[in-house]
Amino acid sequence: MTAFESPRPQDKVLILKRVPVFASCTEEQLHFIADRTRLVEYKKGEFVYREGEAAEAFYIISSGRLRVFTQADGPEKTLAVFHNGDSFGEISLLTGESHSAHVQAINDTLVLQLEKREFDTVINRVPSLVLYLSRLLSKRLRARNRGREFTEAMIAAVCSAERGVGRTAFTTALAATLGRETGRDVVVVDCSGTTPSLTPDLLLTVPIEEAFETAVITHPLGFRVVSAGELLTTPSGEQAIAPLLSFLTNRFQYVLIDLPVRLDPAVLKALTQSDLIYLLLGPQREHVVRTNALIKQVRAAVGSAEQRLKVVLTMLAGPGEWRLSLEDIVQQLEEPLAFTLPHVSAAKKSFTPAELAHLLSSRSSPYALTIRRIARELAGSLVGLALGSGAALGLAHIGVLKVIERERIPVDMVAGTSIGALIAGLWASGRSAADLERLALEFKSPWSIRRLFILDLGIPLFSVVLGALAGLGVGWLGGFWTGLLFGFMVSVAFGVLLGPLSGGPIQGARLMAKLTQDFAGKTFEDTWLPLKIVAANPMAREEVIFESGPLAEAVRASVSIPGIFKPVRLKGKICLDGGVVNPIPVSVLKQAGAHHVIAVNVFPTTQELAAHRQIVQRRRLERDAQLASRPLPVRLLYRIRQELVRSVSPLVFDVIMRSMQSMEHQIADVACREADLTLRPTVPGSHWLEFFNPEPFIRRGEEEALRYLAELKRIAGMRDVDNP
C-alpha cells in the first residue's frame, strides 16, 4: 500500500462526483469531503482489509478493480468485483462490526480513503448522507439475512403524473425482461389495480407469509404479481407498506411497485421505501408541466432525486395537439431524461401478455432493446464496448464486432475514438459487422484511400490573394496568360508551404463528403444503442464527448489527425483526433454508467514490435545474401533504389503518425486498466495507412474475440440457457 497526494485537489472532487453516495452534495460539501480523504495505491494482490479485521475507513475506488471474497465457510468464494466509482466499507463503520469478507486488488488500484474519524465528521457536517447511507445499510443488511451480502435486493417504484403513458405495460415488460436477463426472482406489487388485494386487516390477522400466498399469482410472462391496491386506499394501510416490502425483499431479488396516478401519504411512503423511482411521461406539453410538479413533490419527500429518479419518456400516441419535440422536452424537464421508449406502431395503451411477449422477444425492436437496457442497468450488468484509435490497425474492430454479433453477446453502449469512432458510429447507426466489412473491402488499392487526402489539399486564402497579386503584376508586364500561369504557380507554392501552418495540409472536405454519404444524415438520436464519440480540444487540454447531433460531424472531428487534417470547430471548440487525450474511451463508458467494459486495443506492444523488427532484419540479411550472387548491374540498380527510398523516408506524415501512436500506446495501456477485459488484436509491422488491405486486420480481430469468447460471455452475463 502506497499513500500519496493527488497533484490537483480538484481530481478528488471529480472522483467523488462519480460516486452515488455523494451525488446530492454541493460543490462546497464535496471540497470539504475531498480535503479529508487521502489517495492510496494498492498493488496487484495487496489486501485493502481482511475478513474479521476492525473497520478503519470508508473506501472509494478511483481506478482499478478489487475482488471481494470470503473463506469463512470453507472453499474460497468470490462475492463481487468492485470497479471505479464503487464505494464500500460503510456497513462495518455504521454497525461497528468487523469486516465480513476479504477485499484484494485484482490489479494496481487507486482508492480514496476516508478514515473513521473523518467519516464521522463528514456524516455530522453533511446530514443528507445519513438518509442515503441508512437506505444502503438497510439493503445490505437485508441481503446479509438472505445469505448473500453483496447480492442486494432492489425495490423500484414506477409512477407517473398522467394516465395513458404505458406505465403498467412498462412495469410488466421490465419485470419480464429482468427475469429473463438475470435468472432471478421478480415480483410486481400492483398498487394501481382494482382486483382483490392484500388489506391491512388481513396482514394484521394472519402471518404475512400466509397473506402473501392468498394474494400472489404467476404472470404469463413468468414473474409473480401481488395485488396491494387497498393498502394505498385504506388509512391504516400506510403502516403495512414497509413490512410488506421487507418481506418481499427476503423472497425476491427485484421488487417493482406499480403506483397509481396520485401522490398521497401512502404513495409517498412507497416511494421513500424504494431504491429507485421510474417516472414516466408522454410527449404532451401538459404531461411535462405535471411531471415537473411531481418531481418537486418527490424531491421534497425523498430528498435528492438525482440518483434515485429516472425519467422515462414514452413516445406512445396520445391525445391533444400540443406534442413537444424531444429537444423541448429535455429543456423543460426539471430532471435529465434517462430513457426514451420508442413508439410501437401497433401498440395500444395496454398490451395483452401474448403481444408483449412477442414484442420483447424481437431482437430488432427498439422498444425491446430499450427495456432490456433499463433492466440491465437495474441489474448492474450494463456492458460497454470501447473501440480505440489506431488508423488502419483499427479495422480489427470489425472482426471483434463480427464475433459479438454471431455469438449474440449483449452490448448496451459503445464509445469510440478516431477509427474506433467511425466503426462504432456506423455500427450503432444500424450497419451490421458484415456491412462494415463490405465497406472496408471497397478500398482495394493504395490509391482508393489516398485519393481522399491527396486531392483535398487546403489552400489558405492568403496564398490565393498573394498569387492573384503576383499574377496581375506579371500579367501587366508579360501578358494575360503568362500572368495567369505565374499567379497559379505562386498560389500553389505558398499554399503547400502555408497549408500545414494553418492547422494541416488536408482540408478534409472529401472525407466529410464520404462520411455524410455513409451515415446518410443520421444523428445520435437515430442509433439503436447509446453512442459516445471522443474528440480532443487541444486549446483546453480536454476531451470533447459527442452524444447528440449529426454522426458524420462528430466522427469527422474525432479522426482529425493533428498536423495532417485541419481541425474542425464544433460546440464552439477546436476539435481534433480524440486519441490525443483518450485513445481508448473506457473512462467515458464508466462515467456513462457502464458496469462492465470491454476494451479493444489495437496498438502492438513494444515487445511485439521488437520481435517484428528481428524478423525484418533476418529477411533483409537473407535478401542481401541472395543479391550478392546477382550480376553487378542488378546489384547497382538495387543500391540506387535503396538510396532513393532512404532519401525520402520517412515522410513527414509518417513521422507525425508514428509519433502520435507511440504516445497513444502509453495512454491506452493506462486507460485499459479500468476495463474488465482488454482484447489486443494487434498486427505488428502493419502500416497505419494500410486501409487497402483490410483482411488481415479483420481476421485478427475475429481470432482475438474467439480466443476470449468465454470471458466475453461471462462479462456480458450470458447464462447457459441463453446459448442455443
Short mmCIF file of all heavy atoms in Angstrom, two decimals, residues 644-692:
data_model
loop_
_atom_site.label_atom_id
_atom_site.label_comp_id
_atom_site.label_asym_id
_atom_site.label_seq_id
_atom_site.Cartn_x
_atom_site.Cartn_y
_atom_site.Cartn_z
N LEU A 644 17.46 6.00 -52.93
CA LEU A 644 16.33 6.87 -53.23
C LEU A 644 15.25 6.75 -52.16
O LEU A 644 14.66 7.76 -51.73
CB LEU A 644 15.75 6.52 -54.61
CG LEU A 644 16.59 6.94 -55.82
CD1 LEU A 644 15.97 6.41 -57.11
CD2 LEU A 644 16.73 8.46 -55.89
N VAL A 645 14.97 5.51 -51.72
CA VAL A 645 13.96 5.31 -50.68
C VAL A 645 14.40 5.96 -49.38
O VAL A 645 13.61 6.62 -48.69
CB VAL A 645 13.69 3.80 -50.49
CG1 VAL A 645 12.80 3.57 -49.26
CG2 VAL A 645 13.03 3.22 -51.74
N ARG A 646 15.68 5.78 -49.04
CA ARG A 646 16.18 6.37 -47.79
C ARG A 646 16.14 7.89 -47.82
O ARG A 646 15.93 8.54 -46.79
CB ARG A 646 17.63 5.92 -47.54
CG ARG A 646 17.77 4.47 -47.13
CD ARG A 646 19.15 4.22 -46.54
NE ARG A 646 19.40 2.80 -46.30
CZ ARG A 646 20.11 2.02 -47.08
NH1 ARG A 646 20.68 2.52 -48.18
NH2 ARG A 646 20.29 0.74 -46.80
N SER A 647 16.31 8.47 -48.99
CA SER A 647 16.36 9.94 -49.09
C SER A 647 15.02 10.60 -48.83
O SER A 647 14.96 11.78 -48.47
CB SER A 647 16.87 10.35 -50.48
OG SER A 647 15.93 9.96 -51.49
N VAL A 648 13.93 9.86 -49.03
CA VAL A 648 12.59 10.45 -48.81
C VAL A 648 11.85 9.77 -47.66
O VAL A 648 10.70 10.09 -47.40
CB VAL A 648 11.74 10.35 -50.10
CG1 VAL A 648 12.36 11.16 -51.22
CG2 VAL A 648 11.56 8.89 -50.54
N SER A 649 12.50 8.84 -46.99
CA SER A 649 11.84 8.13 -45.89
C SER A 649 12.48 8.51 -44.56
O SER A 649 13.71 8.67 -44.48
CB SER A 649 11.93 6.62 -46.10
OG SER A 649 11.25 6.22 -47.25
N PRO A 650 11.66 8.63 -43.52
CA PRO A 650 10.20 8.52 -43.57
C PRO A 650 9.57 9.86 -43.98
O PRO A 650 10.15 10.92 -43.73
CB PRO A 650 9.82 8.17 -42.13
CG PRO A 650 10.90 8.83 -41.31
CD PRO A 650 12.15 8.76 -42.12
N LEU A 651 8.40 9.81 -44.60
CA LEU A 651 7.67 11.01 -44.95
C LEU A 651 7.20 11.72 -43.68
O LEU A 651 7.02 11.10 -42.63
CB LEU A 651 6.46 10.66 -45.82
CG LEU A 651 6.76 10.08 -47.21
CD1 LEU A 651 5.46 9.65 -47.89
CD2 LEU A 651 7.50 11.08 -48.07
N VAL A 652 6.97 13.03 -43.81
CA VAL A 652 6.59 13.80 -42.63
C VAL A 652 5.27 13.29 -42.05
O VAL A 652 5.09 13.26 -40.82
CB VAL A 652 6.49 15.31 -42.99
CG1 VAL A 652 5.39 15.56 -44.03
CG2 VAL A 652 6.23 16.13 -41.74
N PHE A 653 4.32 12.87 -42.91
CA PHE A 653 3.07 12.32 -42.40
C PHE A 653 3.33 11.08 -41.56
O PHE A 653 2.68 10.87 -40.52
CB PHE A 653 2.13 11.97 -43.55
CG PHE A 653 1.53 13.17 -44.24
CD1 PHE A 653 0.76 13.01 -45.37
CD2 PHE A 653 1.74 14.46 -43.76
CE1 PHE A 653 0.20 14.11 -46.01
CE2 PHE A 653 1.19 15.57 -44.39
CZ PHE A 653 0.42 15.39 -45.53
N ASP A 654 4.26 10.25 -42.01
CA ASP A 654 4.57 9.02 -41.29
C ASP A 654 5.22 9.34 -39.94
O ASP A 654 4.92 8.68 -38.94
CB ASP A 654 5.49 8.14 -42.13
CG ASP A 654 5.40 6.67 -41.74
OD1 ASP A 654 4.28 6.22 -41.44
OD2 ASP A 654 6.44 6.00 -41.72
N VAL A 655 6.08 10.34 -39.92
CA VAL A 655 6.71 10.74 -38.65
C VAL A 655 5.66 11.22 -37.66
O VAL A 655 5.67 10.84 -36.48
CB VAL A 655 7.76 11.85 -38.91
CG1 VAL A 655 8.26 12.41 -37.58
CG2 VAL A 655 8.92 11.31 -39.73
N ILE A 656 4.72 12.05 -38.14
CA ILE A 656 3.67 12.57 -37.26
C ILE A 656 2.83 11.42 -36.70
O ILE A 656 2.57 11.33 -35.49
CB ILE A 656 2.77 13.57 -38.02
CG1 ILE A 656 3.55 14.84 -38.36
CG2 ILE A 656 1.53 13.91 -37.20
CD1 ILE A 656 2.79 15.80 -39.26
N MET A 657 2.41 10.52 -37.58
CA MET A 657 1.50 9.45 -37.15
C MET A 657 2.20 8.46 -36.24
O MET A 657 1.62 8.02 -35.23
CB MET A 657 0.94 8.74 -38.38
CG MET A 657 -0.26 7.88 -38.08
SD MET A 657 -1.63 8.88 -37.47
CE MET A 657 -2.76 7.59 -36.94
N ARG A 658 3.43 8.08 -36.57
CA ARG A 658 4.15 7.14 -35.71
C ARG A 658 4.41 7.74 -34.33
O ARG A 658 4.33 7.05 -33.30
CB ARG A 658 5.48 6.75 -36.36
CG ARG A 658 5.34 6.02 -37.69
CD ARG A 658 4.87 4.60 -37.54
NE ARG A 658 4.90 3.89 -38.82
CZ ARG A 658 4.55 2.63 -38.99
NH1 ARG A 658 4.13 1.93 -37.96
NH2 ARG A 658 4.60 2.07 -40.18
N SER A 659 4.73 9.03 -34.31
CA SER A 659 4.96 9.69 -33.02
C SER A 659 3.69 9.72 -32.19
O SER A 659 3.70 9.47 -30.98
CB SER A 659 5.46 11.12 -33.25
OG SER A 659 6.66 11.13 -33.99
N MET A 660 2.58 10.01 -32.86
CA MET A 660 1.30 10.07 -32.16
C MET A 660 0.91 8.69 -31.62
O MET A 660 0.44 8.57 -30.48
CB MET A 660 0.22 10.60 -33.10
CG MET A 660 -1.14 10.77 -32.45
SD MET A 660 -2.31 11.54 -33.56
CE MET A 660 -3.84 11.29 -32.64
N GLN A 661 1.14 7.64 -32.41
CA GLN A 661 0.79 6.31 -31.95
C GLN A 661 1.68 5.85 -30.80
O GLN A 661 1.24 5.09 -29.94
CB GLN A 661 0.85 5.31 -33.11
CG GLN A 661 -0.29 5.49 -34.10
CD GLN A 661 -0.36 4.37 -35.13
OE1 GLN A 661 0.60 3.62 -35.31
NE2 GLN A 661 -1.50 4.24 -35.79
N SER A 662 2.92 6.30 -30.78
CA SER A 662 3.79 5.98 -29.64
C SER A 662 3.23 6.57 -28.36
O SER A 662 3.24 5.92 -27.30
CB SER A 662 5.21 6.52 -29.90
OG SER A 662 5.79 5.90 -31.01
N MET A 663 2.74 7.80 -28.46
CA MET A 663 2.13 8.44 -27.30
C MET A 663 0.82 7.74 -26.91
O MET A 663 0.57 7.45 -25.74
CB MET A 663 1.85 9.91 -27.62
CG MET A 663 1.07 10.66 -26.55
SD MET A 663 0.46 12.24 -27.16
CE MET A 663 -0.77 11.69 -28.35
N GLU A 664 -0.01 7.44 -27.92
CA GLU A 664 -1.30 6.81 -27.65
C GLU A 664 -1.13 5.43 -27.02
O GLU A 664 -1.94 5.02 -26.18
CB GLU A 664 -2.10 6.68 -28.94
CG GLU A 664 -2.61 8.01 -29.47
CD GLU A 664 -3.36 7.84 -30.78
OE1 GLU A 664 -2.94 7.00 -31.61
OE2 GLU A 664 -4.37 8.53 -30.97
N HIS A 665 -0.10 4.71 -27.42
CA HIS A 665 0.14 3.37 -26.86
C HIS A 665 0.28 3.43 -25.35
O HIS A 665 -0.27 2.59 -24.63
CB HIS A 665 1.40 2.77 -27.50
CG HIS A 665 1.92 1.57 -26.79
ND1 HIS A 665 3.03 1.63 -25.97
CD2 HIS A 665 1.48 0.29 -26.74
CE1 HIS A 665 3.26 0.43 -25.47
NE2 HIS A 665 2.34 -0.40 -25.92
N GLN A 666 1.03 4.44 -24.86
CA GLN A 666 1.23 4.56 -23.42
C GLN A 666 -0.08 4.93 -22.71
O GLN A 666 -0.42 4.35 -21.67
CB GLN A 666 2.29 5.64 -23.14
CG GLN A 666 3.65 5.37 -23.77
CD GLN A 666 4.34 4.18 -23.14
OE1 GLN A 666 4.12 3.87 -21.97
NE2 GLN A 666 5.18 3.50 -23.90
N ILE A 667 -0.82 5.90 -23.28
CA ILE A 667 -2.07 6.32 -22.65
C ILE A 667 -3.09 5.18 -22.68
O ILE A 667 -3.85 4.97 -21.73
CB ILE A 667 -2.64 7.56 -23.37
CG1 ILE A 667 -1.62 8.70 -23.38
CG2 ILE A 667 -3.93 8.03 -22.72
CD1 ILE A 667 -2.06 9.91 -24.18
N ALA A 668 -3.10 4.42 -23.78
CA ALA A 668 -4.06 3.33 -23.93
C ALA A 668 -3.85 2.26 -22.87
O ALA A 668 -4.81 1.70 -22.33
CB ALA A 668 -3.97 2.72 -25.32
N ASP A 669 -2.60 1.94 -22.57
CA ASP A 669 -2.33 0.92 -21.55
C ASP A 669 -2.89 1.34 -20.20
O ASP A 669 -3.43 0.52 -19.45
CB ASP A 669 -0.82 0.69 -21.44
CG ASP A 669 -0.30 -0.20 -22.56
OD1 ASP A 669 -1.12 -0.81 -23.27
OD2 ASP A 669 0.93 -0.27 -22.75
N VAL A 670 -2.77 2.63 -19.88
CA VAL A 670 -3.31 3.13 -18.62
C VAL A 670 -4.84 3.09 -18.64
O VAL A 670 -5.49 2.67 -17.68
CB VAL A 670 -2.82 4.57 -18.35
CG1 VAL A 670 -3.47 5.15 -17.10
CG2 VAL A 670 -1.30 4.59 -18.21
N ALA A 671 -5.43 3.52 -19.76
CA ALA A 671 -6.89 3.54 -19.87
C ALA A 671 -7.49 2.15 -19.72
O ALA A 671 -8.55 1.98 -19.11
CB ALA A 671 -7.31 4.14 -21.21
N CYS A 672 -6.81 1.13 -20.25
CA CYS A 672 -7.35 -0.23 -20.24
C CYS A 672 -7.29 -0.89 -18.87
O CYS A 672 -7.87 -1.96 -18.68
CB CYS A 672 -6.62 -1.09 -21.27
SG CYS A 672 -7.05 -0.69 -22.98
N ARG A 673 -6.61 -0.27 -17.93
CA ARG A 673 -6.57 -0.85 -16.58
C ARG A 673 -7.95 -0.87 -15.95
O ARG A 673 -8.23 -1.69 -15.07
CB ARG A 673 -5.60 -0.06 -15.69
CG ARG A 673 -4.14 -0.20 -16.08
CD ARG A 673 -3.26 0.68 -15.22
NE ARG A 673 -1.87 0.68 -15.65
CZ ARG A 673 -0.93 1.46 -15.16
NH1 ARG A 673 -1.23 2.31 -14.17
NH2 ARG A 673 0.31 1.41 -15.62
N GLU A 674 -8.83 0.04 -16.36
CA GLU A 674 -10.17 0.12 -15.80
C GLU A 674 -11.14 -0.84 -16.49
O GLU A 674 -12.28 -0.98 -16.06
CB GLU A 674 -10.71 1.54 -15.88
CG GLU A 674 -9.94 2.55 -15.06
CD GLU A 674 -10.62 3.91 -15.04
OE1 GLU A 674 -11.86 3.95 -15.01
OE2 GLU A 674 -9.92 4.93 -15.06
N ALA A 675 -10.72 -1.45 -17.58
CA ALA A 675 -11.61 -2.35 -18.33
C ALA A 675 -11.66 -3.72 -17.67
O ALA A 675 -10.68 -4.18 -17.06
CB ALA A 675 -11.14 -2.47 -19.77
N ASP A 676 -12.79 -4.40 -17.81
CA ASP A 676 -12.90 -5.77 -17.31
C ASP A 676 -12.15 -6.74 -18.19
O ASP A 676 -11.64 -7.75 -17.71
CB ASP A 676 -14.38 -6.16 -17.25
CG ASP A 676 -15.17 -5.33 -16.26
OD1 ASP A 676 -15.46 -4.17 -16.56
OD2 ASP A 676 -15.47 -5.84 -15.18
N LEU A 677 -12.11 -6.45 -19.49
CA LEU A 677 -11.39 -7.30 -20.43
C LEU A 677 -10.83 -6.42 -21.54
O LEU A 677 -11.54 -5.56 -22.08
CB LEU A 677 -12.33 -8.35 -21.03
CG LEU A 677 -11.75 -9.22 -22.16
CD1 LEU A 677 -10.62 -10.09 -21.63
CD2 LEU A 677 -12.84 -10.09 -22.79
N THR A 678 -9.57 -6.62 -21.88
CA THR A 678 -8.94 -5.90 -22.98
C THR A 678 -8.55 -6.89 -24.07
O THR A 678 -7.75 -7.80 -23.83
CB THR A 678 -7.69 -5.14 -22.51
OG1 THR A 678 -8.06 -4.19 -21.50
CG2 THR A 678 -7.06 -4.39 -23.67
N LEU A 679 -9.12 -6.72 -25.24
CA LEU A 679 -8.75 -7.52 -26.41
C LEU A 679 -7.64 -6.80 -27.15
O LEU A 679 -7.73 -5.58 -27.38
CB LEU A 679 -9.96 -7.71 -27.33
CG LEU A 679 -11.21 -8.36 -26.70
CD1 LEU A 679 -12.33 -8.43 -27.73
CD2 LEU A 679 -10.89 -9.74 -26.15
N ARG A 680 -6.62 -7.54 -27.57
CA ARG A 680 -5.48 -6.93 -28.27
C ARG A 680 -5.28 -7.61 -29.62
O ARG A 680 -4.35 -8.40 -29.80
CB ARG A 680 -4.21 -7.03 -27.42
CG ARG A 680 -4.29 -6.35 -26.07
CD ARG A 680 -2.91 -6.22 -25.47
NE ARG A 680 -2.11 -5.26 -26.18
CZ ARG A 680 -1.75 -4.07 -25.69
NH1 ARG A 680 -2.14 -3.70 -24.49
NH2 ARG A 680 -0.99 -3.27 -26.40
N PRO A 681 -6.11 -7.30 -30.61
CA PRO A 681 -5.94 -7.90 -31.94
C PRO A 681 -4.90 -7.13 -32.75
O PRO A 681 -5.21 -6.43 -33.72
CB PRO A 681 -7.34 -7.76 -32.55
CG PRO A 681 -7.91 -6.55 -31.91
CD PRO A 681 -7.33 -6.48 -30.52
N THR A 682 -3.64 -7.27 -32.39
CA THR A 682 -2.57 -6.49 -32.99
C THR A 682 -2.01 -7.20 -34.22
O THR A 682 -2.00 -8.43 -34.31
CB THR A 682 -1.44 -6.26 -31.98
OG1 THR A 682 -0.95 -7.53 -31.53
CG2 THR A 682 -1.96 -5.49 -30.77
N VAL A 683 -1.52 -6.37 -35.16
CA VAL A 683 -0.85 -6.88 -36.36
C VAL A 683 0.48 -6.14 -36.47
O VAL A 683 0.58 -5.12 -37.16
CB VAL A 683 -1.70 -6.67 -37.63
CG1 VAL A 683 -1.02 -7.30 -38.84
CG2 VAL A 683 -3.10 -7.24 -37.44
N PRO A 684 1.53 -6.58 -35.76
CA PRO A 684 2.81 -5.87 -35.77
C PRO A 684 3.37 -5.75 -37.18
O PRO A 684 3.27 -6.68 -38.00
CB PRO A 684 3.70 -6.74 -34.88
CG PRO A 684 2.75 -7.53 -34.05
CD PRO A 684 1.56 -7.77 -34.90
N GLY A 685 3.97 -4.60 -37.46
CA GLY A 685 4.58 -4.38 -38.76
C GLY A 685 3.65 -3.81 -39.80
O GLY A 685 4.08 -3.47 -40.91
N SER A 686 2.36 -3.70 -39.50
CA SER A 686 1.42 -3.12 -40.45
C SER A 686 1.57 -1.60 -40.47
O SER A 686 2.01 -0.98 -39.51
CB SER A 686 -0.01 -3.51 -40.08
OG SER A 686 -0.29 -3.12 -38.74
N HIS A 687 1.17 -1.00 -41.60
CA HIS A 687 1.28 0.45 -41.77
C HIS A 687 -0.03 1.10 -41.39
O HIS A 687 -1.11 0.57 -41.65
CB HIS A 687 1.65 0.79 -43.22
CG HIS A 687 2.10 2.21 -43.40
ND1 HIS A 687 1.23 3.24 -43.61
CD2 HIS A 687 3.34 2.74 -43.40
CE1 HIS A 687 1.91 4.37 -43.73
NE2 HIS A 687 3.20 4.10 -43.61
N TRP A 688 0.06 2.28 -40.80
CA TRP A 688 -1.13 2.95 -40.31
C TRP A 688 -2.08 3.36 -41.44
O TRP A 688 -3.27 3.60 -41.21
CB TRP A 688 -0.74 4.19 -39.49
CG TRP A 688 0.00 5.25 -40.28
CD1 TRP A 688 1.34 5.31 -40.50
CD2 TRP A 688 -0.57 6.36 -40.96
NE1 TRP A 688 1.66 6.40 -41.26
CE2 TRP A 688 0.50 7.08 -41.56
CE3 TRP A 688 -1.86 6.86 -41.12
CZ2 TRP A 688 0.31 8.24 -42.30
CZ3 TRP A 688 -2.05 8.01 -41.86
CH2 TRP A 688 -0.98 8.70 -42.44
N LEU A 689 -1.59 3.42 -42.70
CA LEU A 689 -2.41 3.82 -43.83
C LEU A 689 -2.81 2.61 -44.69
O LEU A 689 -3.25 2.75 -45.81
CB LEU A 689 -1.67 4.84 -44.69
CG LEU A 689 -2.51 5.74 -45.62
CD1 LEU A 689 -3.59 6.48 -44.85
CD2 LEU A 689 -1.62 6.72 -46.36
N GLU A 690 -2.70 1.40 -44.13
CA GLU A 690 -2.92 0.18 -44.90
C GLU A 690 -4.41 -0.20 -44.98
O GLU A 690 -4.79 -1.35 -44.79
CB GLU A 690 -2.11 -0.96 -44.28
CG GLU A 690 -1.77 -2.09 -45.24
CD GLU A 690 -0.80 -3.08 -44.62
OE1 GLU A 690 -0.02 -2.69 -43.72
OE2 GLU A 690 -0.82 -4.25 -45.04
N PHE A 691 -5.25 0.77 -45.26
CA PHE A 691 -6.68 0.51 -45.39
C PHE A 691 -6.99 -0.36 -46.61
O PHE A 691 -8.06 -0.97 -46.66
CB PHE A 691 -7.45 1.83 -45.50
CG PHE A 691 -7.50 2.62 -44.22
CD1 PHE A 691 -6.58 3.63 -43.98
CD2 PHE A 691 -8.46 2.36 -43.27
CE1 PHE A 691 -6.62 4.38 -42.81
CE2 PHE A 691 -8.52 3.09 -42.09
CZ PHE A 691 -7.59 4.10 -41.85
N PHE A 692 -6.08 -0.39 -47.58
CA PHE A 692 -6.33 -1.15 -48.80
C PHE A 692 -6.11 -2.65 -48.62
O PHE A 692 -6.30 -3.43 -49.54
CB PHE A 692 -5.40 -0.64 -49.92
CG PHE A 692 -3.95 -0.62 -49.53
CD1 PHE A 692 -3.16 -1.75 -49.66
CD2 PHE A 692 -3.37 0.53 -49.03
CE1 PHE A 692 -1.83 -1.73 -49.30
CE2 PHE A 692 -2.03 0.56 -48.67
CZ PHE A 692 -1.26 -0.57 -48.80
#
